Amino acid sequence: MYNFYFHTPFIVSIPQVKKHFFLFFSIVLLATAFFSGGCRKEKLSNGNISFSTDTLTFDTVFVTFGSTMRSFKVFNNNNKAIVINDIRLMRLVGQQFRINVDGVFGDQFTNVEIPAKDSIYVFVEVTVNPNDQTSPYVIIDDVVFSYGSKAATVHLQAFGQNAHFHYGEEIQNGETKNWNSDLPHVIVSKGDVPGVHVHCGGTLNIKPGCKIFFAGNSAIFVEGALYAEAQMWSDSIVFQGARLEPYYNDKPGQWFGIVFLRDTNNSSACAPQAVFNHCIINESSYGLYAGAGLTTDINKYTGVSGRPEVTIKNSIIKNSLYNTLYGFNAKMSAENSLFHTAGEHLIKIGLGGEYNFYHCTMVNTGSRFVNHKKESLLLSNLVAVNNSVVYEEKLQTTFANCIVYGSMENEIAFSKTATSGPSEFDNKFSYTLMKTKSDTLAMFSTVNNQNLFNQDPRFKEPEKGNYTPSDSSGYFSPAIDYAPSGLLLDIFGNPRKDKLQNGKVYDIGAIETQ
C-alpha cells in the first residue's frame, strides 16, 4: 500500500513499513494532487460490499504461449440481499482477460444477486503470448461493479511479455545485483515497495544494452549505489514507461522517476552514489531526483555530509511531467547531456548544493502533452516552510559551454535570501547561450564570461528532437564554433572541430555540428 501526496514537503508515504519518503521542493507549493495505487483495501460507501482485493495481479512470467486463472471474492456485508445491476469487463487493452461470475463466462452480467452476509466468486483468466512484441509488458484491465448509484472497480494486471520482472524488489545492505540485457526489465509496484528499493550499502549495476520499463507509478529509490554505464549508443540503457501503444510514445508521467534518498543522519556512510552514461530517461514524472529523505525535519537536509552524488554523461533526459532533473542540496554533474521537454521547471535546484553542467543543452517548449509555463532553469539556495520559516544552504553552480533556451521570454529564475552574498549564491556562467536578461544574470552570478543572451540557437529540427545547431545558409546557429575550449567529443561521440577556422573549435551545447 502506498500513497503519493503532493505538497511541501513532498511526501511519498509507505505506511506498511512504518516510514515515509519525504521529497522536498525548493519553493512552497500548495497541495495539488493525490494518487493512490498498489493493493489498497477498498471499502465502498456504507460498507455495503467489499472485495478480497482491489488489484488482482497475475505474477506468472510466461516464456511460451499460455493461460492462467485466479479469482477474487465479492462480499455482501448487508443484512439483506443486494443486487448488483451491472458487472462489466472494460476491455481496456486487447482481449487477453476473460471473466466468470459464479460459474458463467462473459464480458457483462446484469442483476447479479448476493445473499445477505454472503459472497460470490469472480474468476479471471488471462492468456498471454510472451513473444508478441506489440503486447504491453504489463497488461491491464478493469472489472467495474455498478449497483444503485454506486460503482466500484477491481483492477487486473498481468505480465505480458517474456522479461525480468522486478515486483517490489529490495536490494539489501551488502548485496549487489547485476541486471543484464538478455531480456527487458520491467519494474512493478508491490505492496510496501513502489518499484525497486536499493537500500544503504546495496548496489545495483545496470549493464549496457538494458531496457528498463516502469509500470504504473513505479520508481527506483536509491539509498545505496546505482550504476548505469554504457560506452556507446549502440549499447545505450533506456528507462521508460511500460505502455507500448503509439498514444503513449513520449507521454510524460507514466512512471515516477529515479529518486536518490539523502542520509538524513548526516553521515557520509550512506550518501547515495550514481553514474549514468549513454542513458535515455523518458516519460517519467521527475527524471532524476536527488535529495529525498526519511524525515520532515528540514535541518536534516542541510550541510554537505550525506548529500547524494549523481554523475550524468552523454545522456538524454526528456518528456517529464514535472522536472527532468531535480536537486535538493545535492551534488550533481552533467556533461555532454541533453535535457528537454517538461511540464514544470526543466531543471530545478533547491536548498543549495553543488552542480556543474558542461556542454549541456537544456530546452523546453512544451509538447502535445505538457505546456511550458515555468522557466527552464530554477536556481535556489533556500526552502520556505509554511510560507515563513526559511532554510538556507550554500549554492554553487557552474554552466560552461551550455544552451538554456525555451519558448518563454525568460528561461532562468533565481531565488535566494536577501542576506545571501556571493559565497552563499555562487553561480558561474561562461560561453553559454541563454534566454534571459543580461543585467539579471549579472545580479545573480559571480562569473559572467562571454555569454550569449536571447539569441535563437537555431536547432535543425527541434520538433523531432534534433537539437543539433543548424549550419544552413541563412539559418546559421550562433552556437557553432563559439567556445575556445571544451570536450573533445560530443554526446554522440562525434569529434568537435573548427569549422569556421576562427580558432574556436567547440560548438556550445551537447551536440557538435558535423
Side-chain angles (χ1 to χ4, degrees):
M1 178 174 180
Y2 60 95
N3 299 312
F4 293 89
Y5 303 89
F6 289 75
H7 52 94
T8 299
F10 172 25
I11 301 175
V12 181
S13 165
I14 309 179
Q16 286 186 344
V17 290
K18 308 298 184 185
K19 66 182 181 180
H20 299 80
F21 292 134
F22 297 98
L23 308 176
F24 290 91
F25 286 83
S26 57
I27 56 177
V28 174
L29 303 177
L30 296 175
T32 58
F34 169 83
F35 295 94
S36 65
C39 49
R40 61 190 185 281
K41 187 71 174 178
E42 185 167 6
K43 297 289 185 182
L44 300 182
S45 300
N46 302 319
N48 291 328
I49 66 173
S50 61
F51 303 111
S52 57
T53 182
D54 80 337
T55 301
L56 188 67
T57 298
F58 296 77
D59 53 7
T60 302
V61 179
F62 291 95
V63 295
T64 59
F65 189 90
S67 298
T68 188
M69 180 177 287
R70 295 193 64 183
S71 65
F72 63 91
K73 294 180 76 173
V74 186
F75 299 96
N76 175 12
N77 303 312
N78 266 348
N79 292 321
K80 298 180 180 180
I82 189 170
V83 175
I84 302 177
N85 305 109
D86 187 81
I87 302 174
R88 184 174 308 203
L89 179 64
M90 297 306 293
R91 294 292 184 198
L92 299 178
V93 180
Q95 303 289 318
Q96 292 95 335
F97 289 105
R98 292 163 302 286
I99 62 173
N100 175 321
V101 177
D102 246 13
V104 180
F105 277 99
D107 288 350
Q108 185 177 9
F109 306 84
T110 57
N111 299 323
V112 176
E113 182 175 320
I114 306 178
K117 299 294 184 179
D118 206 345
S119 62
I120 62 170
Y121 276 96
V122 176
F123 294 90
V124 183
E125 184 181 32
V126 65
T127 300
V128 173
N129 179 1
N131 299 311
D132 181 1
Q133 299 300 309
T134 64
S135 177
Y137 283 104
V138 178
I139 303 166
I140 62 170
D141 215 328
D142 287 340
V143 183
V144 176
F145 297 77
S146 301
Y147 61 103
S149 61
K150 304 171 185 177
T153 301
V154 172
H155 307 291
L156 311 177
Q157 64 177 15
F159 300 157
Q161 290 193 36
N162 188 14
H164 298 294
F165 286 88
H166 305 278
Y167 189 36
E169 182 174 319
E170 299 190 67
I171 301 173
Q172 302 293 345
N173 181 18
E175 186 178 9
T176 297
K177 287 198 174 181
N178 298 310
W179 290 4
N180 297 313
S181 61
D182 54 330
L183 290 171
H185 294 257
V186 182
I187 296 177
V188 184
S189 297
K190 179 184 179 182
D192 299 343
V193 183
V196 172
H197 185 183
V198 184
H199 288 268
C200 176
T203 301
L204 173 58
N205 295 313
I206 301 177
K207 298 297 185 178
C210 280
K211 310 302 178 190
I212 318 297
F213 297 88
F214 294 78
N217 210 25
S218 59
I220 298 177
F221 291 93
V222 183
E223 292 177 277
L226 170 62
Y227 301 104
E229 298 180 83
Q231 299 305 312
M232 57 190 68
W233 281 104
S234 59
D235 279 330
S236 63
I237 299 168
V238 178
F239 303 82
Q240 68 172 76
R243 300 297 296 269
L244 304 181
E245 304 95 310
Y247 170 76
Y248 291 93
N249 290 344
D250 295 332
K251 186 179 187 297
Q254 295 184 51
W255 56 287
F256 194 76
I258 302 173
V259 182
F260 300 92
L261 301 172
R262 184 186 176 94
D263 178 10
T264 49
N265 293 319
N266 290 322
S267 167
S268 59
C270 280
Q273 305 281 329
V275 178
F276 297 88
N277 195 356
H278 290 95
C279 292
I280 298 174
I281 300 173
N282 191 20
E283 304 171 344
S284 70
S285 290
Y286 286 96
L288 299 181
Y289 187 136
L294 302 175
T295 177
T296 54
D297 183 358
I298 303 290
N299 289 300
K300 297 292 187 179
Y301 297 86
T302 59
V304 175
S305 184
R307 277 179 176 170
E309 296 190 13
V310 180
T311 300
I312 307 158
K313 298 180 178 180
N314 308 302
S315 294
I316 300 171
I317 308 180
K318 60 182 180 177
N319 299 311
S320 294
L321 186 61
Y322 299 107
N323 318 113
T324 59
L325 195 68
Y326 186 177
F328 190 79
N329 192 16
K331 183 177 181 179
M332 308 182 79
S333 65
E335 65 177 44
N336 265 350
S337 292
L338 170 62
F339 306 86
H340 76 84
T341 312
E344 205 209 40
H345 299 293
L346 185 73
I347 294 177
K348 186 173 185 177
I349 293 172
L351 194 61
E354 183 179 342
Y355 307 87
N356 296 290
F357 297 90
Y358 196 31
H359 273 298
C360 289
T361 298
M362 311 165 193
V363 182
N364 198 12
T365 58
S367 71
R368 67 189 179 104
F369 296 110
V370 293
N371 294 320
H372 175 36
K373 294 182 178 179
K374 293 191 176 182
E375 297 87 350
S376 292
L377 178 62
L378 171 64
L379 303 179
S380 175
N381 71 340
L382 62 87
V383 61
V385 178
N386 297 325
N387 292 318
S388 58
V389 181
V390 176
Y391 296 81
E392 178 185 3
E393 188 64 30
K394 181 178 180 179
L395 174 66
Q396 292 179 297
T397 69
T398 299
F399 296 83
N401 297 6
C402 291
I403 296 174
V404 183
Y405 194 74
S407 54
M408 292 177 58
E409 184 176 348
N410 174 61
E411 292 292 353
I412 303 180
F414 301 92
S415 177
K416 70 182 185 73
T417 60
T419 59
S420 296
S423 61
E424 290 81 31
F425 202 69
D426 182 8
N427 302 302
K428 300 179 174 68
F429 293 84
S430 60
Y431 292 94
T432 291
L433 185 154
M434 66 193 85
K435 197 172 184 183
T436 194
K437 294 181 178 180
S438 59
D439 56 351
T440 300
L441 189 82
M443 291 173 57
F444 292 102
S445 63
T446 55
V447 173
N448 180 3
N449 180 37
Q450 301 296 316
N451 296 301
L452 298 174
F453 294 93
N454 302 310
Q455 295 190 39
D456 187 341
R458 295 182 175 178
F459 300 118
K460 285 189 175 181
E461 294 179 299
E463 70 281 358
K464 297 180 179 180
N466 182 357
Y467 294 94
T468 305
S470 172
D471 58 353
S472 299
S473 177
Y475 197 71
F476 199 86
S477 172
I480 293 176
D481 284 2
Y482 186 71
S485 61
L487 298 171
L488 296 179
L489 302 177
D490 77 352
I491 183 174
F492 298 119
N494 297 316
R496 297 187 183 271
K497 52 190 178 181
D498 186 356
K499 296 169 288 295
L500 300 181
Q501 302 299 312
N502 63 356
K504 295 181 178 180
V505 176
Y506 305 91
D507 293 1
I508 58 176
I511 307 171
E512 181 83 7
T513 300
Q514 298 299 302

